[in-house]
Amino acid sequence: MLHTVNKSSFERNSLQSCLNTIDDSSVILFIEDGVINAANNANSSMIADLATEGRIFALQGDVEARGISSKLADNIKLVDYAGFVDLVVEHGTAVSWV
Amino acid sequence: MKFAIQVNEGPYQHQASDTAFQFAKAAIENGHEVMRVFFYHDGVNNASRFTLPPQDDRHVVNNWASLDIKDADGNPELVVCVAAALRRGMLDESEASKNSIDGNNIHPAFRISGLGQLIEAGIQCDRLVVFGD
Amino acid sequence: MATKKFMYLNRRSSFGTVYAIESLEVVLIAAAFEQDVSLAFMDDGVYQIVEGQETDGIGMKNFSKTFHALGDYDINKLYVSKESLEERGLSESDLMPLVYEDEDDDWEEKPSIRVVTNDELKAIMSEQDVCLSF
């Protein structure tokens, strides 16, 4: 499954709820304000292991728009909108943690 | 692959509609089909033909219209939920005359229909992606 | 028509935003399509099905009663996160007693609500074909 998270974990608990219920084959894509979760910050430990496994993606346009390109945590994979489409194709059911 | 997209937020207030538009555009450009975009909750406000953003801003409604998402018979597949639309003052010609209101505001690239269209899209498409708050 | 597994993911309470009532409106329509329907209640979404909601004081429609009708529409898989309940000081006894009549078991009345752990919810979610989030 592909899980999209569009909120910062400093603002809402959607990332935590997503992490509580994703299975071992799922990946997470951060979009909109969700890319704040991809920056190196006090909450980065939430996603560090998944990122090491190559399961954390962030939408490049949203990262750049928020000025955090140079502040990303380790092992975050950036995708453009076409890459977002590919993730939906590859990973089956899409779950939005709105 | 065949996609359905659900948009839950209005234009400008939230990025959801912009992200959904960029996603739909990328899907089409990469050879996929976007069978239907379903506008629900405040998302129905994406269909207002009276939308007038300042010149230096993107035009969210025209962006959607530019994708030209239609069925085989040429009917728009940018679908606005009727119940959500009516409660927010979004009317097409038929709903306006049915309710004796002297105006309508649905952009011609969109059409009003029931929630069944969302479920049908979920059944018929390979993927349904939700964009919301 | 092929049958797909649809999950409706509810994570917000009833009245602060429109999502809960408009989610329920989709679920009621979905019943007519004879798909496999599940509802999940997580985070503040668990408050949607708490017993004793009274809306006279806020001038809004009390749609919580409508959840009782779901059983009649063969919508009888309402999964509620155990962890979300516990975090909020709630337990299953605080929820509405939602039931359905099981046609495969001599129409015996059975509970529609199933309190599940996050791990159980994980397994249920991974089986879904379509997930609608509200």
Side-chain angles (χ1 to χ4, degrees), chain C residues 49 76 78-80 92 95-99 111-115:
Chain C
I49 50 172
N76 49 39
L78 277 63
Y79 299 104
V80 183
E92 190 167 358
L95 305 178
M96 294 187 281
L98 303 177
V99 294
S112 298
I113 289 178
R114 307 167 198 196
V115 176

Side-chain angles (χ1 to χ4, degrees), chain A residues 12 32 62 66 88-89 96, chain B residues 15-16 19 22 127 130 132-133:
Chain A
R12 292 229 206 133
E32 301 167 358
D62 282 322
R66 287 157 181 82
V88 175
V89 170
S96 300
Chain B
Q15 199 185 344
T19 308
Q22 298 290 353
R127 301 280 188 276
V130 180
D133 179 31

Side-chain angles (χ1 to χ4, degrees), chain C residues 39 53 65 72-73 77 89 121:
Chain C
L39 277 61
Q53 300 176 48
K65 317 271 186 228
D72 299 334
Y73 289 97
K77 288 181 285 195
L121 202 50

Side-chain angles (χ1 to χ4, degrees), chain A residues 33-60:
Chain A
D33 286 348
V35 299
I36 291 166
N37 301 311
N40 201 359
N41 60 41
N43 287 355
S44 294
S45 59
M46 290 173 78
I47 55 155
D49 288 347
L50 286 174
T52 306
E53 293 169 25
R55 294 164 63 195
I56 301 287
F57 297 81
L59 202 50
Q60 188 163 3

